[in-house]
């Protein structure tokens, strides 16, 4: 539910430290609730999360928000858009204070052409996303909303604050359905 990638973070921190003038990769900070990338807008940087937690989400045509994933340290954002030369596919918003390594697009493209390590990290990231997407889809088909919500509540208690609205958006249900499910879980826990 919360994706992290420590090896990718270590790699980028090393690149950042090796820069002589610190202009190809810079540190940027975002406050809680601030948008890092906006759906359908052009990305000006490729970013790797150094610290904090973000949510990656789509806003559908009916203005309904659907959270694809929660991203933490070591997760890269904006790379698909640069590789495919398309506007941002989704929005990324800071759920906590977030710090990112922001790479210039020309520098990123140069690394793509010349750095096998970066390419291997990207292949791993893309493969992981495919596995996670298919696993999540099958999991949601096979398990009840109550079961998935219980896992989300456990994550909330351990690692991050998450609003009811975000829980509903992650589960792909309405706020009303979420409240009903929370009530059922509470009733089941108190009757046991």
């Amino acid at each position: 539910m919360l994706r992290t990638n420590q090896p990718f973070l270590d790699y980028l921190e090393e690149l950042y430290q090796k820069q002589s003038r610190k202009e190809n990769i810079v540190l940027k900070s975002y406050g809680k609730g601030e948008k890092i990338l906006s759906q359908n807008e052009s990305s000006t940087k490729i970013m790797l999360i150094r610290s904090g937690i973000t949510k990656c989400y789509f806003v559908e045509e009916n203005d309904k928000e659907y959270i694809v994933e929660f991203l933490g340290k070591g997760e890269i954002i904006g790379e698909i858009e640069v590789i495919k030369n398309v506007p941002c596919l989704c929005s990324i918003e800071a759920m906590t204070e977030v710090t990112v390594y922001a790479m210039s697009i020309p520098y990123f493209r140069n690394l793509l052409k010349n750095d096998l390590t970066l390419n291997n990290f990207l292949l791993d990231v893309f493969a992981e996303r495919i596995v996670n997407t298919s696993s999540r889809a099958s999991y949601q088909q096979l398990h009840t909303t109550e079961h998935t919500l219980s896992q989300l509540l456990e994550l909330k208690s351990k690692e991050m604050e998450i609003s009811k609205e975000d829980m509903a958006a992650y589960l792909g249900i309405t706020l009303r359905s979420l409240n009903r499910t929370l009530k059922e879980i509470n009733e089941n826990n108190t009757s046991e």
Side-chain angles (χ1 to χ4, degrees):
M1 288 186 179
L2 174 61
R3 303 287 170 217
T4 61
N5 189 336
Q6 188 63 49
F8 206 164
L9 178 59
D10 294 342
Y11 160 79
L12 207 66
E13 283 179 341
E14 187 177 322
L15 285 180
Y16 176 74
Q17 295 302 331
K18 286 181 179 177
Q19 294 181 105
S20 55
R21 295 192 328 211
K22 306 272 192 265
E23 58 188 23
N24 290 320
I25 305 172
V26 297
L27 279 172
K28 290 183 80 171
S29 295
Y30 296 89
K32 181 179 179 179
E34 197 173 342
K35 275 205 182 154
I36 299 170
L37 293 176
S38 294
Q39 184 175 333
N40 297 322
E41 293 183 8
S42 294
S43 177
T44 59
K45 300 275 186 202
I46 293 84
M47 294 174 245
L48 192 103
I49 301 169
R50 182 179 184 212
S51 63
I53 298 172
T54 66
K55 66 178 179 178
C56 173
Y57 64 95
F58 292 100
V59 177
E60 299 294 339
E61 290 174 9
N62 63 0
D63 288 333
K64 187 169 182 166
E65 188 177 293
Y66 178 73
I67 296 177
V68 178
E69 206 63 76
F70 298 106
L71 305 173
K73 65 182 182 177
E75 289 296 313
I76 191 166
I77 54 179
E79 79 291 351
I80 292 172
E81 292 81 356
V82 169
I83 291 168
K84 296 293 292 172
N85 196 30
V86 296
C88 293
L89 301 171
C90 57
S91 293
I92 307 286
E93 183 179 310
M95 295 184 70
T96 64
E97 297 293 316
V98 172
T99 305
V100 300
Y101 288 110
M103 281 185 277
S104 70
I105 291 173
Y107 180 69
F108 178 74
R109 286 197 171 122
N110 183 52
L111 287 174
L112 276 177
K113 288 180 185 171
N114 301 307
D115 189 329
L116 189 57
T117 303
L118 174 77
N119 284 283
N120 286 331
F121 275 120
L122 288 173
L123 282 173
D124 186 56
V125 164
F126 297 151
E128 186 73 21
R129 287 179 186 166
I130 292 168
V131 168
N132 291 337
T133 300
S134 59
S135 295
R136 182 172 170 199
S138 65
Y139 186 89
Q140 286 180 329
Q141 291 291 318
L142 297 172
H143 293 86
T144 63
T145 300
E146 291 85 1
H147 183 71
T148 308
L149 180 57
S150 295
Q151 289 191 318
L152 196 56
L153 290 170
E154 187 177 322
L155 178 67
K156 177 183 177 183
S157 69
K158 289 180 184 175
E159 299 189 49
M160 63 186 199
E161 275 298 310
I162 180 169
S163 68
K164 281 186 175 182
E165 290 81 3
D166 283 347
M167 281 192 260
Y170 183 77
L171 295 168
I173 60 176
T174 64
L175 191 55
R176 185 176 180 187
S177 294
L178 174 67
N179 286 328
R180 192 174 330 120
T181 305
L182 285 169
K183 183 179 177 187
E184 289 171 12
I185 289 173
N186 284 336
E187 286 172 359
N188 288 338
N189 287 341
T190 54
S191 66
E192 290 177 358

